[in-house]
Amino acid sequence: MGEAKRRNAMAKQVADDLRRRLDAGEFGSPGKAEHYCLVLDKSSRGRDLLATLRTLSAFAGLEPLIEAEAFRVWEASKLFRFVVLCAGEGKPDQRSLLAADLGRLLGDTLPKALRRLPPGTPPSAVLLGVAEEDLRAIERGVAEARPS
């Protein structure tokens, strides 16, 4: 299978999984993305997850975050490795947080972002579009910041 076909198949699988999770109410009311925390880096996994989310109408609230200055700074800058986008109250720039490196993400940015999620929001509402080598550390950081 060619790289393009493999990526398209993966994107479809991710989109189908997200639709199932939306219907189950993992992000708020069934069918709606009211509560989520999205952690992205500039890897292909980050780009692919963002592209997939943009195709799902339930994540339409993501667009103002993508249009916000903080996101544009992250895209254009080599200084910031991660961006965290949060659903909820506040202006888009208040819900778009930047982290220069993994240490800053785990020590400051991620805990701050996770506090924006309402109590009882399942850990699965945190979506990770990050390189494989950072995935486990970030999953541990989420688990430590939001114990079950």
Side-chain angles (χ1 to χ4, degrees), residues 11-33:
K12 183 182 178 338
Q13 183 178 355
V14 168
D16 290 347
D17 181 56
L18 285 168
R19 282 187 199 94
R20 180 189 55 73
R21 293 170 61 196
L22 281 160
D23 291 344
E26 287 187 31
F27 302 99
S29 302
K32 296 183 181 180

Side-chain angles (χ1 to χ4, degrees), residues 86-101:
C86 305
E89 300 295 318
K91 295 178 182 177
D93 279 324
Q94 296 169 324
R95 299 182 292 126
S96 305
L97 309 169
L98 304 176
D101 54 44

Side-chain angles (χ1 to χ4, degrees), residues 38-106:
L38 174 60
V39 181
L40 298 172
D41 65 12
K42 296 173 185 172
S43 69
S44 61
R45 293 176 122 202
R47 289 189 308 271
D48 290 350
L49 178 58
L50 183 59
T52 299
L53 291 173
R54 292 178 89 173
T55 68
L56 300 173
S57 61
F59 282 92
L62 191 59
E63 282 305 312
L65 299 174
I66 294 168
E67 295 168 2
E69 184 177 352
F71 187 85
R72 288 181 284 151
V73 166
W74 172 74
E75 278 188 311
S77 173
K78 292 183 182 191
L79 296 175
F80 298 103
R81 188 169 164 202
F82 299 97
V83 64
V84 182
L85 305 174
C86 305
E89 300 295 318
K91 295 178 182 177
D93 279 324
Q94 296 169 324
R95 299 182 292 126
S96 305
L97 309 169
L98 304 176
D101 54 44
L102 186 60
R104 178 71 67 170
L105 176 71
L106 296 175

Side-chain angles (χ1 to χ4, degrees), residues 1-10:
M1 182 183 295
E3 180 64 21
K5 279 188 175 182
R6 186 189 66 74
R7 286 181 74 170
N8 285 340
M10 290 292 293

